[in-house]
Amino acid sequence: MGTGHFFWVIFYFASLCSASLANNAKINFREKEKKVLDQILGAGKYDARIRPSGLNGTDGPAIVRINLFVRSIMTISDIKMEYSVQLTFREQWTDERLKFDDIQGRLKYLTLTEANRVWMPDLFFSNEKEGHFHNIIMPNVYIRIFPNGSVLYSIRISLTLACPMNLKLYPLDRQICSLRMASYGWTTNDLVFLWKEGDPVQVVKNLHLPRFTLEKFLTDYCNSKTNTGEYSCLKVDLLFKREFSYYLIQIYIPCCMLVIVSWVSFWLDQGAVPARVSLGVTTLLTMATQTSGINASLPPVSYTKAIDVWTGVCLTFVFGALLEFALVNYASRSGSNKANMHKENMKKKRRDLEQASIDAASDLLDTDSNATFAMKPLVRHPGDPLALEKLRQCEVHMQAPKRPNCCKTWLSKFPTRQCSRSKRIDVISRITFPLVFALFNLVYWSTYLFRDEEDE
């Protein structure tokens, strides 16, 4: 009897378990969801035109909490002053009219894909230029309704937003691009937007931008008052730092090379006119083309940018090298003309001296009527070169010795004759141009690299 009784007990418990499993298998929770949706959203039971009540069922404004997930930042355009971003946008609020029974915790939430079935905040992006939803393969949007009446709205969108930029420090600048969200029709008496507590803005890891780096982002409030009332507003400030390595390789180093190449003409012979002219004109045109290409990728602003200072000074140096050759050529031609005139004068004086010596000899050979020689004093002519040379030697011996000057000693290697002025201009330019350009670099980089953050 003991064994039979134990057998019937096991059989009884097994039948109970199978019955409970059969009852659970018969329950279709999807059908339960349909019934709940029909119950809370049926005709005449819910009006999506009426906003939810305030906190704790009061008549205050509806509170909507917002958070964002930045998926990618595609482009940041300087010339259009805009940027494109793709993000997952989420809103969460409480609508007590949507409360339902969760069947002992088995219905965690209800899911909808039609936003017009429930009340939605009239949020819009105030600095939006263009935007679109994503509908591949299905619309990337859902609405979740929780048992306590909490509603979560999530959607994936792509936006092109305006970003006013200050390019005075370009390309050593930082830019702040904002994302502004505000209510279009509901005032703060009816609707208030708040950032979700904790982490309201999230950014995808390993976010790569071609010419910028996202340094940080800040959340803030930007409520606006108009003649129709005060409207709730939220904003996100994205701080972008421009990558300088691209501009260093593409702009600054080539400009330096062009300026240095223009200095090669200082080392060419002053008679090599075609070579020096070709070098100067080629570097000038190349520098002008480089400047035009840079300005073509930027908006026409009314102020001077850092890149304008650099290209303008580099263009001035290249143009100065071309003007230096014009000065050298003029000095060379002027010196040769004066040298020719000096030679002609020397030849004329030599002829005059020869004629004077002949006249003196003829006077010595003349005799008067008494057969006596007419003697004339042998006085040296004032313009005689020999007398001038002796006088100069005497003056040199009489002058007191002076201390040597390094600059004068270096310049004394090039005589002061007119034909050597062109050579002296070239030698001075070889030293002056690099020194002035090095001084400009020192001032430029110390000004723009070590500036205060407040100036930015």
Side-chain angles (χ1 to χ4, degrees):
M1 289 296 292
T3 304
H5 180 72
F6 180 74
F7 173 77
W8 285 108
V9 170
I10 293 176
F11 178 77
Y12 176 73
F13 279 106
S15 62
L16 288 178
C17 292
S18 61
S20 62
L21 291 174
N23 291 332
N24 290 336
K26 292 179 181 179
I27 297 176
N28 189 344
F29 289 100
R30 305 289 77 80
E31 291 292 334
K32 291 289 184 181
E33 290 182 6
K34 178 181 181 302
K35 290 181 179 180
V36 171
L37 287 174
D38 291 339
Q39 181 182 357
I40 62 178
L41 297 177
K45 295 183 179 181
Y46 184 87
D47 193 347
R49 297 173 298 176
I50 308 301
R51 73 168 179 86
S53 58
L55 190 63
N56 297 325
T58 62
D59 196 26
I63 306 298
V64 178
R65 300 187 181 275
I66 294 176
N67 69 314
L68 305 173
F69 176 68
V70 180
R71 294 182 173 271
S72 64
I73 298 176
M74 280 76 75
T75 58
I76 301 177
S77 176
D78 296 317
I79 189 168
K80 294 182 179 180
M81 291 193 178
E82 64 184 22
Y83 72 104
S84 300
V85 61
Q86 182 185 127
L87 50 87
T88 298
F89 175 75
R90 304 185 187 98
E91 294 176 312
Q92 193 166 6
W93 66 94
T94 300
D95 193 343
E96 294 186 355
R97 297 172 296 175
L98 299 177
K99 290 183 179 181
F100 62 90
D101 184 15
D102 60 353
I103 313 178
Q104 298 179 356
R106 296 178 180 179
L107 284 180
K108 295 183 178 180
Y109 53 82
L110 304 175
T111 302
L112 297 177
T113 57
E114 299 176 359
N116 57 357
R117 297 290 302 275
V118 297
W119 175 87
M120 292 291 298
D122 61 342
L123 181 142
F124 76 105
F125 298 93
S126 58
N127 59 334
E128 173 201 354
K129 285 187 174 181
E130 295 179 358
H132 66 272
F133 303 112
H134 294 266
N135 297 320
I136 301 175
I137 299 177
M138 291 293 292
N140 298 165
V141 59
Y142 67 80
I143 298 175
R144 290 177 180 175
I145 303 175
F146 295 88
N148 62 349
S150 177
V151 182
L152 173 63
Y153 174 74
S154 177
I155 187 171
R156 186 166 74 99
I157 53 178
S158 293
L159 300 170
T160 299
L161 304 166
C163 178
M165 299 182 182
N166 187 350
L167 300 174
K168 289 183 178 180
L169 301 178
Y170 177 90
L172 301 166
D173 58 335
R174 287 179 171 86
Q175 300 297 337
I176 298 178
C177 295
S178 299
L179 174 63
R180 295 175 177 267
M181 299 161 287
S183 172
Y184 190 81
W186 298 97
T187 63
T188 53
N189 295 326
D190 298 312
L191 178 62
V192 173
F193 291 123
L194 297 176
W195 286 112
K196 185 179 180 180
E197 297 179 357
D199 195 5
V201 178
Q202 299 173 335
V203 180
V204 66
K205 294 182 179 179
N206 301 323
L207 179 64
H208 295 289
L209 298 174
R211 288 184 295 174
F212 287 89
T213 300
L214 179 60
E215 286 192 331
K216 59 182 179 180
F217 52 88
L218 303 172
T219 58
D220 200 357
Y221 295 90
C222 54
N223 292 3
S224 60
K225 291 183 178 181
T226 65
N227 55 3
T228 58
E230 182 180 359
Y231 298 90
S232 182
C233 175
L234 304 178
K235 72 172 182 176
V236 183
D237 290 332
L238 304 174
L239 178 59
F240 295 103
K241 179 183 178 182
R242 198 181 299 271
E243 289 291 341
F244 180 67
S245 57
Y246 168 81
Y247 300 93
L248 179 65
I249 297 173
Q250 297 294 328
I251 296 176
Y252 284 91
I253 292 179
C255 289
C256 281
M257 295 173 65
L258 286 174
V259 173
I260 294 173
V261 167
S262 68
W263 298 342
V264 175
S265 63
F266 303 153
W267 300 87
L268 297 179
D269 185 73
Q270 59 187 5
V273 177
R276 297 187 69 163
V277 170
S278 300
L279 182 63
V281 173
T282 302
T283 53
L284 183 63
L285 292 178
T286 306
M287 190 66 216
T289 304
Q290 181 86 348
T291 304
S292 300
I294 295 170
N295 292 329
S297 61
L298 294 174
V301 295
S302 59
Y303 47 82
T304 303
K305 304 179 289 293
I307 195 66
D308 294 336
V309 176
W310 175 263
T311 55
V313 172
C314 290
L315 188 63
T316 303
F317 271 93
V318 174
F319 183 67
L322 185 60
L323 289 183
E324 188 271 348
F325 170 67
L327 181 61
V328 167
N329 186 265
Y330 173 76
S332 177
R333 289 186 290 105
S334 176
S336 61
N337 293 335
K338 291 184 177 180
N340 294 332
M341 293 176 61
H342 182 69
K343 290 180 180 179
E344 292 294 333
N345 293 333
M346 293 299 293
K347 289 181 180 179
K348 184 177 180 181
K349 289 181 178 180
R350 192 177 294 109
R351 288 196 299 267
D352 294 341
L353 290 175
E354 290 177 356
Q355 185 65 32
S357 61
I358 293 173
D359 293 340
S362 61
D363 290 339
L364 290 173
L365 294 176
D366 288 340
T367 57
D368 55 3
S369 56
N370 296 325
T372 59
F373 292 99
M375 301 298 293
K376 291 186 177 181
L378 297 177
V379 180
R380 190 171 298 277
H381 196 273
D384 193 346
L386 297 177
L388 295 176
E389 184 65 25
K390 290 181 179 180
L391 182 60
R392 189 176 295 109
Q393 291 178 0
C394 294
E395 292 177 353
V396 169
H397 288 292
M398 292 174 63
Q399 290 178 353
K402 296 182 179 180
R403 295 181 62 183
N405 192 329
C406 297
C407 297
K408 291 184 178 180
T409 303
W410 177 71
L411 292 174
S412 64
K413 298 179 180 180
F414 306 96
T416 57
R417 298 194 308 269
Q418 296 292 337
C419 59
S420 299
R421 285 184 179 177
S422 57
K423 184 65 175 178
R424 176 176 294 211
I425 294 173
D426 274 341
V427 173
I428 294 175
S429 299
R430 294 173 190 173
I431 305 300
T432 305
F433 273 71
L435 286 179
V436 176
F437 190 68
L439 180 62
F440 162 71
N441 274 269
L442 179 63
V443 174
Y444 182 87
W445 296 114
S446 61
T447 301
Y448 288 104
L449 287 181
F450 304 104
R451 61 191 180 276
D452 295 331
E453 293 294 333
E454 296 179 357
D455 296 338
E456 297 181 10

